[in-house]
């Protein structure tokens, strides 16, 4: 299976919430997991929002960001171009 992960799915990988187990299972089962090139800014913005909303502590977010950054090289990162958007 080829799996595409958007920011909301990837956040579930690093923060325990409803759907986190499903995302981890899908990633484990995928032959290839990919995401958009700009995912780093989207995921880190979501983590920052969680701190502002006091859903997570700064320490929890920093730990999650570190794990995310360590795993990011293993995801195929698709460059979003006009052609990619049109074909989607």
């Amino acid at each position: 299976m080829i799996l595409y992960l958007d920011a909301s799915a990837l956040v579930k990988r690093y923060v325990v919430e409803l759907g986190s187990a499903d995302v981890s299972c899908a990633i484990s089962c995928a032959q290839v997991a990919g995401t958009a090139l700009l995912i780093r800014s989207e995921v880190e913005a979501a983590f920052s929002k969680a701190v502002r909303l006091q859903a997570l502590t700064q320490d929890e977010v920093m730990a999650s960001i570190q794990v995310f950054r360590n795993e990011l090289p293993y995801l195929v990162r698709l460059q979003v171009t006009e052609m990619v958007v049109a074909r989607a």
Side-chain angles (χ1 to χ4, degrees), residues 1-3 25-33:
M1 154 177 72
I2 297 172
L3 179 67
C25 182
I27 291 170
S28 295
C29 294
Q31 292 171 321
V32 175

Side-chain angles (χ1 to χ4, degrees), residues 32-63:
V32 175
T35 190
L37 184 59
L38 56 92
I39 198 68
R40 183 173 171 184
S41 61
E42 291 179 340
V43 168
E44 292 188 20
F47 288 145
S48 293
K49 182 178 179 180
V51 170
R52 286 192 308 276
L53 296 175
Q54 299 181 342
L56 296 171
T57 67
Q58 186 68 37
D59 288 342
E60 290 169 326
V61 165
M62 293 309 294

Side-chain angles (χ1 to χ4, degrees), residues 75-88:
L75 294 173
V76 173
R77 290 173 307 280
L78 305 170
Q79 207 168 14
V80 180
T81 64
E82 185 62 36
M83 184 184 304
V84 170
V85 172
R87 292 185 78 191

